[in-house]
């Protein structure tokens, strides 16, 4: 899974041309991954202001807080789920994502329900 991270301050500092370039680059990469049969799924995520983080304590007390993480400006902004031959191929695609130039793209293997890498 290629996890796209963003930062509101970085996003706000982009020009309209840079934002359009990001969109175009995602469109091109999505088309390429689809044509190669590698794309399983992709999506952007809603703004972190709509996020709630839920935790449950040992006594089953539930706590809900606004936002994804209180201390971090970066947030998970979207993902691509791709079928790659190995981690190096996934890293190559992550490096081509325009977001890697502004914040980061995390590459993480997806695990099946047994806890083993798929």
């Amino acid at each position: 899974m290629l996890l796209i991270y963003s930062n509101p301050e970085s996003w706000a500092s982009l020009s309209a041309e840079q934002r359009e370039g990001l969109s175009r680059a995602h469109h091109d990469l999505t088309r390429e991954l689809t044509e190669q049969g590698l794309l399983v799924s992709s999506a952007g995520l809603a703004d972190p202001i709509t996020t709630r983080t839920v935790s449950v304590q040992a006594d089953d007390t539930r706590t809900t807080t606004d936002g994804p993480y209180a201390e971090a400006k970066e947030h998970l902004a979207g993902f691509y789920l791709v079928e790659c031959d190995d981690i190096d191929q996934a890293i190559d695609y992550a490096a081509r994502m325009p977001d890697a130039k502004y914040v980061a793209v995390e590459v993480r293997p997806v695990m099946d329900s047994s806890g083993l890498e798929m």
Side-chain angles (χ1 to χ4, degrees):
M1 180 169 279
L2 311 179
L3 302 168
I4 302 165
Y5 285 87
S6 186
N7 178 314
E9 292 173 9
S10 295
W11 182 254
S13 71
L14 298 178
S15 67
E17 184 177 310
Q18 288 172 311
R19 289 179 187 187
E20 185 177 312
L22 273 163
S23 179
R24 212 174 20 256
H26 275 291
H27 176 77
D28 293 346
L29 185 58
T30 299
R31 185 179 62 241
E32 179 183 334
L33 290 166
T34 300
E35 289 171 355
Q36 293 178 5
L38 301 174
L39 184 65
V40 176
S41 180
S42 66
L45 301 176
D47 191 285
I49 198 164
T50 66
T51 302
R52 302 299 177 269
T53 299
V54 178
S55 61
V56 178
Q57 308 307 314
D59 65 357
D60 288 334
T61 303
R62 182 175 73 184
T63 304
T64 305
T65 57
D66 293 344
Y69 307 104
E71 294 84 31
K73 292 182 182 177
E74 291 77 24
H75 61 274
L76 183 61
F79 70 91
Y80 283 64
L81 183 57
V82 295
E83 289 283 345
C84 292
D85 294 330
D86 54 39
I87 192 77
D88 293 324
Q89 184 182 23
I91 289 169
D92 289 342
Y93 282 115
R96 291 180 51 200
M97 293 190 156
D99 310 84
K101 294 179 183 177
Y102 297 100
V103 179
V105 176
E106 179 180 333
V107 177
R108 185 181 299 185
V110 175
M111 312 221 4
D112 67 16
S113 60
S114 69
L116 301 174
E117 291 183 14
M118 293 176 69

